[in-house]
Amino acid sequence: MSSSYEPAPDTVPQAKNEATASTAEQARTTGARHGGPSPARVGTVVWGLIVLALAALIIIGQLGIVVLNGTYVLIGLMIGAGAALVVGGLLSARGRDKESTTGKS
């Protein structure tokens, strides 16, 4: 005797998709505050720019386009990096002050 059992239509995957969609939407709206993707850190960007500037200066020096004094190059890079870190930190702190607080101190 054979059974002609046909399972009911599968509605669970649709519910899972809706739950996943709402979770993804929440992750997009909450952002970095709750473990979502975080913006680039100021220090990371500044160090990347320092490395790029050093590479460019080494290439320029090797090509003989300009004669570079190593001491002046390092002083200039340190001044530029310090200024970028200070300005970036101030801008980052200003951006954090605009976010809503949780009321905790």
Side-chain angles (χ1 to χ4, degrees), residues 45-61 68 73 76-77 81:
V45 173
V46 170
W47 280 109
L49 290 173
I50 290 171
V51 170
L52 287 174
L54 279 174
L57 290 172
I58 289 171
I59 291 171
I60 290 171
L68 298 172
V73 168
L77 283 173

Side-chain angles (χ1 to χ4, degrees), residues 6 13 96:
E6 293 182 23
R96 275 194 304 264

Side-chain angles (χ1 to χ4, degrees), residues 23-92:
T23 304
E25 181 64 31
Q26 288 174 350
R28 278 193 298 271
T29 57
T30 56
R33 291 178 294 161
H34 301 290
S38 61
R41 293 182 178 204
V42 174
T44 304
V45 173
V46 170
W47 280 109
L49 290 173
I50 290 171
V51 170
L52 287 174
L54 279 174
L57 290 172
I58 289 171
I59 291 171
I60 290 171
Q62 291 296 320
L63 291 176
I65 298 172
V66 177
V67 177
L68 298 172
N69 183 339
T71 304
Y72 292 144
V73 168
L74 287 176
I75 289 171
L77 283 173
M78 294 298 285
I79 290 171
L85 285 169
V86 169
V87 171
L90 291 173
L91 291 175
S92 177

